Amino acid sequence: MVSGGQDRDAPSKIVVDELDFWYGTRQVLHGINLRIPARRITALIGPSNCGKSTFLHTLNRMHEIVADTRLSGTILLDGQDIHHPAVDVVALRRRVGVVFQHSNPFPKSVFDNVAYGPRLQGIRQREALSEIVQRSLQQVGLWDEVKDRLARHAWDLSGGQQQRLSIARALAVDPDVLLLDEPAAALDPRATVHIEDLIGQLCERYTVVVVTHNMQQAARVSHFTAFFYEGRLIETGPTNRIFSNPREQQTDEYITGRFH
Amino acid sequence: MSEPTEPVAPKDFSARSRSRADAVAAPIAGLRRSRPAAVAARREAGLRWLLRGATYGMLAVIGWILLDIFGKGLPVITWQFLTDLPRASGAAGGILPAIAGTCCLVAGAFALALPLGVASAIYLNEYAAPGRFVAWTRLAISTLAGLPPIVFGLFGLGLFVLFLQFGASLLSGCLTLACMMLPTIIVGSEEALRSVPAFLRHGSLALGATPWQTIRYNVLPYALPHMVAGALLGVARAAGETAPILFTAAAFYIPRLPQSILEQVMSLPYHLFALTTQYPEAARIRSMQYGTAVVLLTLVLGLSLVGIVLRNHFRKKLRW
Amino acid sequence: MARLFHSDRSVRYGLLFATSTSLLIVALIFLFLGKEALPFLANPGLTQLLGTRWIPVSFDAGSFGIVPLFTGTLLVTSLSLVLTVPLGIGAAVYIAELAAPWERRILRPLMELLTAIPTVVIGFFGLVVLGPWIKYLCALPSGMNALTASLLLAVMAFPTVVSVSEEAIRGVPAAWKRPSLALGATPLQTTWRVTVPAAAPGILAAVSLGAGRVVGETMVVLMVTGNAAQLTLWPLKSVRTMTATIALEMGEVALGSHHYRALFCIGVLLLGVTFGLNLVAQRALSRQTQSH
C-alpha cells in the first residue's frame, strides 16, 4: 500500500487513516492513508483540484469554517485523534499552524501582526511580546530587514517579505507543525528562493507540510513527497525516490509533465 | 442558493455597447439605418427624454421645496435664534431647547440602539446558522423597518409611558426612537461586517483564536467605522420624526434646557409642527417656522450626508 | 483553554440575547397595541368600527365608524401612488440604464439622502406654499384637501421607490441582456423587454415599501388634508386619514375610554396593513435574489 516506509529514523508526527472528505454531497478525498514524519518536510503535490489543499486544511480542522463539510476516518497528532469531541480546536490550531496561499498579513503594523497570536494567549507585557516578535522574525530571516520599522503597516512590505511575515506570525504561536499552502505561488523567483531556504531551515524545529504544484520546488525542499490525483493519494515515498523512480504510472506522467 | 452566473459585464454596459454599435455601423453601407429603424430611433430618443424628465422633474420639485425652505429660512438664522430660549410660547426668541431636546433624544436612542444593533449584526452574520430563528429575526427586522412612525408612537405610549410608567419623558422618547432606529443599524452593521474580507477571519482562526477573539480583534476594528457611518442614517431619520415622540416625549413649550430624563422635552420637528398648526396666529410667525425648518433640515440632511459619504468611502476604501 | 471556550460561549449567548430584542420588540408591539385595542371589540363591538361616522366626542354615545378614515387613507394613498410609481420606476430605469456614470454617481446617493427629508418639513411646505397654490389654481375655499396631501406624499415616497427599484434593475445580470442586444434590440428595447420584467419582483417590493410609507405617513396628512372625517373619494375635498386621527386625538383622550381603545383599533389596522405590505415586499425581494 501507499505509505512511506523508509523513514525509520523519523517518528510519525501525524498519522492519517482512511480519510474521506465531502463538500456537501461531493466527495473530494477518498481513503487517504498517510504518515507524516516529525521534523521533516513533506511535500504534497498534484494537479489543481486534486484535494491536496483540502487535505492540508483537515490537518488543523480549518475545513470546519466552511459550512456543509463532512469527514470520516481518523487523523492522529502525536497519537491523539484531533477530531475527538474532547479536543479543543483552538488548542489544536495553536499546535498546528497554517500559512495560506494568499496569506495576506493583517492590516496592522508588522509588530502587531506577529504579536497577534501571543496576545490571544494572554501575553500582554511589552518585553515578552518584543522578544517573541524578534525571535519569530529572526527565524524567517526578516528581522534585519524590518527591525527599524516594526510600527510600519505590514502591507507596505514587498510580497516576499509579506509571505515571510505570515510565516513568522504562525511561528510566534510556537506550533509543532507548520502547514504551508503554496507558500511561494505568488512570488517572484528571488523571493521564492528565499522562502525555500527558509523552509529548509524550519524543519530543524518543526514538522513541515508544504502544498505545491511546482514539482521542482517539491524536489528541492522536501524529504518526502505525496502525490495526489483526483482526491486520491496515489503514491508516497522519499522525495528522491518519487522523482527518480516513481512506482505508479500516474505519478510518472505527472512529474514528467504529461498532464497538469 | 443562487446559481453561479456568467461574469458580469462592465456597469456602463448599455452606454458602451451603444457607442460601439454606432462606430461600427456608420461606414458600412449595407448596415445603414432603414426608414422604420429611424422612426424607432426617434421614438427611443423620445422615451429617453421622458425618463430623464421623470427623474429630474421630481428632483426639481424636491429642489423647489428645499429652496423655498432655505431661501426663506436662512435669513432668520442668527446666533441668537440658535442659542436663545423661546419666548411668548415660541412666537419669539430662539429655539435652543428644541435643538437640545432633539439632540438628547437621538443621542439617547443611538446609545441604546447601537450596541444592540451591532450585537445583532454580529450574531446574524458571524455566528447564526441559517434556520428558523434567523428567518424569524430577519422578518422581525424588516417588519420594524416598515412600520409607520405613528405605530411606534402608540407602542411607546402603551409600553414605556403607561405600562412602565416612565411618563411622557425624554426616556420614553429615547426608547421609542431606539426601537425605530434598530433595523437601520442592524442592516448597516451587517453590510459593514460582510465587507470585511474572509482572510482576516481565517488567518486569525488559523492562529488559534476563538471565534469571539477573531471578531473582537480582527473583524470589529475594521468594521466599526463603517457601522457607525451606516448607523448615522438611522439617527438622521429618527431626528426628523415627529409621530413617534408625539405622545411619548414632545412638549409644546418648555423654555429651558432639558433637566432630567423623566421630563418632557421640546424637539425640532414637533416645535415646527406646533408653531405651524397649534399656534393661534400661525401666519404671523412664519419666520420662526422657517427658521426651525432650516435647522431641522440642516441637522437631518447633514447627518445623512455624513453617513452616506462615510459609508460609501468605507465601501471603497480598504485595499482588499 | 477551557476558560477561553467558556467566555466564548457566554459571548455567543449575549449576542443571541441582543439579537432576539428585534423579535421581542415586534412581539411587544403586537401585544401592546392588541391589549389596548381588544376591549373595544368586546364592549362597543366590532360593528361600531364599521360605521360610516367618526364622531368620537359627543354628549350621548360617540360613534366610532372608521370607514371614512379608511377611505381617506385609501384616497390619499392611491392618488399619490398613481403619481409616484410610474415616475419612480421611470427614474429608476433612467438611473440604472441610461444615465451617464458621473450622473449615476450623484443621483444614487442623492436619492438616498432625500429619503431622509423630515415629513414635517414637507407638510409645512404644503401648508404654507403648495396649499395656497392649489387653492388658487382650483379656485377652492381652502387648499387643504386630499389632492394637496397626495402630491406631497408622492414627492415624499419618490426617493424610496426609486432607490429600491433602481437596485433591482441594477441587479439584473448583464448576461441576460446580452442575447437581446445580440438579436438587434436597442438598449432601451432590451431594458423594456428584458431588464424591467426580470426586475419585476424588486420593483413590486419598491412599490409595496413606498405604499407602506405613504399609508403610515402621519405629519404630511395631518397638516394638509384639512382633517374632515367625511366619506368621499373626490380629491378636492378635505379628508382625514387613520394616522392623522391617531395623532390628532390621542393627546386629549381619556385613558381606557372607548375613544382611546378605538384609536388603538385604528393603530392595529395600520399595523396590519403595513405588515402585510412589508410581507409582500420581503417575499418579492427574496424571489428577486433567488432568481439571480
Side-chain angles (χ1 to χ4, degrees), chain A residues 139-154:
Chain A
Q139 279 179 298
V140 299
L142 201 56
W143 175 250
D144 292 326
E145 293 165 53
V146 301
K147 66 182 173 202
D148 301 322
R149 29 178 196 161
L150 292 174
R152 282 272 294 281
H153 199 278

Side-chain angles (χ1 to χ4, degrees), chain C residues 123-157:
Chain C
F124 170 67
F125 174 83
L127 194 76
V128 187
V129 181
L130 187 67
W133 268 75
I134 299 276
K135 177 182 163 184
Y136 173 74
L137 286 176
C138 303
L140 296 168
S142 159
M144 302 298 113
N145 55 38
L147 177 70
T148 315
S150 306
L151 292 175
L152 293 167
L153 289 175
V155 170
M156 180 208 77

Side-chain angles (χ1 to χ4, degrees), chain B residues 52-135:
Chain B
R52 186 173 291 151
T55 311
Y56 287 103
M58 278 306 253
L59 282 177
V61 174
I62 299 176
W64 177 31
I65 299 179
L66 296 181
L67 275 182
D68 179 75
I69 303 283
F70 279 100
K72 296 179 190 157
L74 274 180
V76 183
I77 307 295
T78 60
W79 183 245
Q80 274 194 336
F81 181 74
L82 297 175
T83 56
D84 260 7
L85 302 177
R87 293 189 307 277
S89 300
I95 56 165
L96 181 63
I99 298 176
T102 284
C103 290
C104 290
L105 279 169
V106 294
F110 184 61
L112 288 165
L114 185 70
L116 272 180
V118 169
S120 304
I122 292 174
Y123 186 81
L124 289 172
N125 205 54
E126 309 282 329
Y127 282 93
R132 205 169 288 170
F133 176 76
V134 172

Side-chain angles (χ1 to χ4, degrees), chain A residues 189-201:
Chain A
R190 264 185 57 198
T192 303
V193 171
H194 223 117
I195 294 283
E196 288 178 3
D197 288 349
L198 168 61
I199 295 171
Q201 292 156 22

Side-chain angles (χ1 to χ4, degrees), chain A residues 213-242:
Chain A
H213 64 253
N214 178 334
M215 282 171 293
Q216 285 73 31
Q217 186 170 66
R220 280 194 299 267
V221 302
S222 69
H223 303 112
F224 296 92
T225 295
F227 171 60
F228 281 73
Y229 184 62
E230 289 183 344
R232 295 171 202 281
L233 181 58
I234 305 299
E235 184 169 2
T236 61
T239 299
N240 47 22
R241 208 264 303 146
I242 290 270

Side-chain angles (χ1 to χ4, degrees), chain C residues 4-234:
Chain C
L4 267 179
F5 237 85
H6 186 71
S7 84
D8 225 67
R9 192 170 301 166
S10 55
V11 164
R12 200 191 153 102
Y13 285 131
L15 294 171
L16 178 62
F17 177 75
T19 310
S20 41
T21 46
S22 298
L23 278 169
L24 182 73
I25 292 171
V26 172
L28 285 175
I29 288 176
F30 277 91
L31 183 74
F32 269 81
L33 263 62
K35 178 173 89 76
E36 302 295 325
L38 273 181
F40 189 94
L41 302 187
N43 190 348
L46 182 63
T47 46
Q48 271 279 315
L49 287 178
L50 302 177
T52 55
R53 277 151 35 102
W54 176 264
I55 309 172
V57 187
S58 75
F59 285 112
D60 38 304
S63 42
F64 301 102
I66 59 174
V67 172
L69 311 180
F70 188 80
T71 54
T73 293
L74 196 67
L75 174 64
V76 169
T77 304
S78 38
L79 265 181
S80 63
L81 288 181
V82 163
L83 265 172
T84 209
V85 164
L87 287 172
I89 296 173
V93 168
Y94 178 75
I95 297 176
E97 301 270 300
L98 302 176
W102 65 266
E103 224 178 341
R104 207 172 292 159
R105 265 202 308 277
I106 296 170
L107 287 175
R108 252 182 220 150
L110 185 64
M111 286 297 168
E112 198 178 359
L113 179 68
L114 293 178
T115 56
I117 295 180
T119 53
V120 67
V121 173
I122 298 178
F124 170 67
F125 174 83
L127 194 76
V128 187
V129 181
L130 187 67
W133 268 75
I134 299 276
K135 177 182 163 184
Y136 173 74
L137 286 176
C138 303
L140 296 168
S142 159
M144 302 298 113
N145 55 38
L147 177 70
T148 315
S150 306
L151 292 175
L152 293 167
L153 289 175
V155 170
M156 180 208 77
F158 179 73
T160 307
V161 175
V162 175
S163 293
V164 180
S165 20
E166 195 261 342
E167 205 167 313
I169 294 170
R170 199 184 347 148
V172 175
W176 295 17
K177 308 177 201 165
R178 223 172 284 142
S180 165
L181 291 166
L183 289 172
T186 65
L188 213 59
Q189 281 171 333
T190 304
T191 298
W192 235 231
R193 304 258 165 89
V194 179
T195 315
V196 171
I203 294 174
L204 174 65
V207 173
S208 308
L209 291 176
R213 275 204 78 183
V214 174
V215 169
E217 172 46 33
T218 309
M219 301 318 288
V220 170
V221 290
L222 180 59
M223 291 165 89
V224 301
T225 53
N227 290 319
Q230 51 184 332
L231 189 58
T232 178
L233 287 175
W234 178 239

Side-chain angles (χ1 to χ4, degrees), chain B residues 104-186:
Chain B
C104 290
L105 279 169
V106 294
F110 184 61
L112 288 165
L114 185 70
L116 272 180
V118 169
S120 304
I122 292 174
Y123 186 81
L124 289 172
N125 205 54
E126 309 282 329
Y127 282 93
R132 205 169 288 170
F133 176 76
V134 172
W136 279 99
T137 308
R138 293 211 180 277
L139 179 65
I141 292 167
S142 68
T143 302
L144 281 181
L147 283 185
I150 190 84
V151 168
F152 281 98
L154 283 180
F155 165 65
L157 175 69
L159 177 60
F160 305 126
V161 177
L162 299 176
F163 186 76
L164 296 175
Q165 305 198 329
F166 295 152
S169 61
L170 183 55
L171 178 61
S172 297
C174 288
L175 287 164
T176 309
L177 288 179
C179 295
M180 229 186 82
M181 264 183 210
L182 194 58
T184 316
I185 296 185
I186 295 176

Side-chain angles (χ1 to χ4, degrees), chain B residues 73-319:
Chain B
L74 274 180
V76 183
I77 307 295
T78 60
W79 183 245
Q80 274 194 336
F81 181 74
L82 297 175
T83 56
D84 260 7
L85 302 177
R87 293 189 307 277
S89 300
I95 56 165
L96 181 63
I99 298 176
T102 284
C103 290
C104 290
L105 279 169
V106 294
F110 184 61
L112 288 165
L114 185 70
L116 272 180
V118 169
S120 304
I122 292 174
Y123 186 81
L124 289 172
N125 205 54
E126 309 282 329
Y127 282 93
R132 205 169 288 170
F133 176 76
V134 172
W136 279 99
T137 308
R138 293 211 180 277
L139 179 65
I141 292 167
S142 68
T143 302
L144 281 181
L147 283 185
I150 190 84
V151 168
F152 281 98
L154 283 180
F155 165 65
L157 175 69
L159 177 60
F160 305 126
V161 177
L162 299 176
F163 186 76
L164 296 175
Q165 305 198 329
F166 295 152
S169 61
L170 183 55
L171 178 61
S172 297
C174 288
L175 287 164
T176 309
L177 288 179
C179 295
M180 229 186 82
M181 264 183 210
L182 194 58
T184 316
I185 296 185
I186 295 176
V187 171
S189 300
E190 277 204 88
E191 185 201 304
L193 286 172
R194 276 196 299 270
S195 76
V196 174
F199 81 84
L200 290 178
R201 296 181 180 86
H202 297 178
S204 173
L205 290 171
L207 291 172
T210 65
W212 173 242
Q213 284 176 325
T214 298
I215 293 162
R216 169 79 185 72
Y217 298 113
N218 233 23
V219 176
L220 267 189
Y222 308 111
L224 211 52
H226 192 159
M227 286 175 166
V228 172
L232 281 184
L233 296 176
V235 174
R237 183 92 30 98
E241 283 294 354
T242 321
I245 55 172
L246 218 46
F247 329 119
T248 57
F252 178 65
Y253 184 63
I254 301 180
R256 56 177 167 76
L257 291 177
Q259 312 268 304
S260 134
I261 58 163
L262 287 176
E263 67 173 32
Q264 285 180 282
V265 290
M266 294 184 75
S267 72
L268 285 169
Y270 186 70
H271 191 59
L272 174 60
F273 171 69
L275 285 181
T276 325
T277 61
Q278 314 292 89
Y279 199 78
E281 292 166 90
R284 283 181 49 203
I285 51 169
R286 285 281 180 256
S287 64
M288 295 296 291
Q289 296 161 3
Y290 270 106
T292 310
V294 162
V295 175
L296 176 61
L297 261 182
T298 310
L299 179 75
V300 170
L301 293 185
L303 275 174
S304 263
L305 187 65
V306 170
I308 292 172
V309 168
L310 281 181
R311 189 202 55 200
N312 292 356
H313 169 75
F314 290 126
R315 272 181 187 166
K316 282 181 280 191
K317 180 198 111 191
L318 296 158
R319 287 185 268 171

